[in-house]
Amino acid sequence: QKEVEQDPGPLSVPEGAIVSLNCTYSNSAFQYFMWYRQYSRKGPELLMYTYSSGNKEDGRFTAQVDKSSKYISLFIRDSQPSDSATYLCAMSVLNTGNQFYFGTGTSLTVIP
Amino acid sequence: GAVVSQHPSRVICKSGTSVKIECRSLDFQATTMFWYRQFPKKSLMLMATSNEGSKATYEQGVEKDKFLINHASLTLSTLTVTSAHPEDSSFYICSAPRPPGNTIYFGEGSWLTVV
């Protein structure tokens, strides 16, 4: 079983829709969770990070962590065509020598 | 602004030559940096972990003599693709964990084309 599972999509939504992107993980020791956005032919860009269970909001983006279910989500409200990209989740156990585990990425297209 | 800088963003080289890609942490010291390779529409593939003061750790299947990694300082790691061949053409990305919390930041990526 992979440490981190992420549905690769592709996911297509109309402009203005709420997008839900998800990752599941198997290691209950993961404490630190990150979401990245990668546009075509660019390096991944950090969107949000969180240490704890619950929700963290930043503009149109909300990161949600449910440690009991080993499940994290990224919600995008009022999606825009500029949100079309691949979204990667990542997680780690703190203080373990920089070991990070990435999902494979979900490709999102927002249709105008 | 950028936290990790990668250079060059694009490079074309002739088959058989070597090419060096630099990865710099801009406002923090990075004892560890990571190098990835990514094929079009595919996920990141970790190639190696660059360690300041010691040898790089390569992932299984990655040729260490082909992909030379040197962690030259606490802010610089380099990846040298030696005796490049067309099949080495790819998108190469570096990343570094930034304290506190060690959030991973990625460079902008480097497109290598071997002709």
Side-chain angles (χ1 to χ4, degrees):
Chain A
Q1 184 184 9
K2 288 184 181 177
E3 296 272 4
V4 180
E5 299 274 3
Q6 184 175 9
D7 187 337
L11 181 62
S12 287
V13 301
E15 183 175 354
I18 296 174
V19 177
S20 172
L21 303 164
N22 310 297
C23 289
T24 58
Y25 59 96
S26 57
N27 188 346
S28 58
F30 285 144
Q31 301 163 286
Y32 191 46
F33 306 91
M34 293 154 276
W35 283 98
Y36 293 85
R37 175 175 62 197
Q38 186 179 21
Y39 291 116
S40 181
R41 306 169 80 89
K42 298 287 186 182
E45 167 195 4
L46 178 67
L47 281 177
M48 299 183 73
Y49 62 88
T50 182
Y51 292 94
S52 57
S53 282
N55 294 349
K56 181 178 181 180
E57 192 172 311
D58 183 2
R60 296 185 296 111
F61 299 91
T62 300
Q64 186 178 81
V65 174
D66 182 345
K67 288 187 178 179
S68 61
S69 301
K70 300 193 189 71
Y71 189 89
I72 67 170
S73 299
L74 178 71
F75 297 99
I76 307 174
R77 290 184 300 280
D78 187 25
S79 55
Q80 303 294 310
S82 59
D83 295 326
S84 298
T86 295
Y87 290 81
L88 294 154
C89 64
M91 46 199 80
S92 73
V93 179
L94 292 176
N95 303 319
T96 55
N98 298 319
Q99 284 195 317
F100 295 86
Y101 298 87
F102 286 87
T104 52
T106 300
S107 175
L108 170 68
T109 301
V110 180
I111 302 166
Chain B
V3 175
V4 173
S5 176
Q6 204 171 326
H7 178 81
S9 57
R10 289 180 179 274
V11 58
I12 301 172
C13 71
K14 290 186 177 179
S15 187
T17 63
S18 295
V19 62
K20 181 185 288 187
I21 301 169
E22 293 185 346
C23 181
R24 293 181 184 274
S25 56
L26 296 183
D27 63 355
F28 65 99
Q29 293 183 334
T31 56
T32 301
M33 290 185 176
F34 303 98
W35 287 96
Y36 305 84
R37 184 173 182 177
Q38 187 175 38
F39 292 103
K41 299 190 178 182
K42 297 293 184 183
S43 58
L44 296 170
M45 183 182 76
L46 180 65
M47 297 175 67
T49 301
S50 175
N51 304 300
E52 194 273 336
S54 64
K55 291 183 179 179
T57 306
Y58 289 82
E59 296 299 303
Q60 193 171 12
V62 177
E63 298 176 63
K64 59 181 67 176
D65 295 330
K66 172 81 170 169
F67 299 100
L68 298 179
I69 290 172
N70 180 30
H71 206 116
S73 73
L74 284 170
T75 60
L76 173 64
S77 175
T78 60
L79 168 67
T80 301
V81 183
T82 63
S83 187
H85 288 100
E87 57 265 32
D88 298 325
S89 300
S90 191
F91 190 48
Y92 294 88
I93 310 173
C94 69
S95 72
R98 182 191 189 195
N102 287 334
T103 302
I104 288 281
Y105 287 88
F106 287 88
E108 304 94 329
S110 299
W111 281 99
L112 170 64
T113 302
V114 184
V115 297

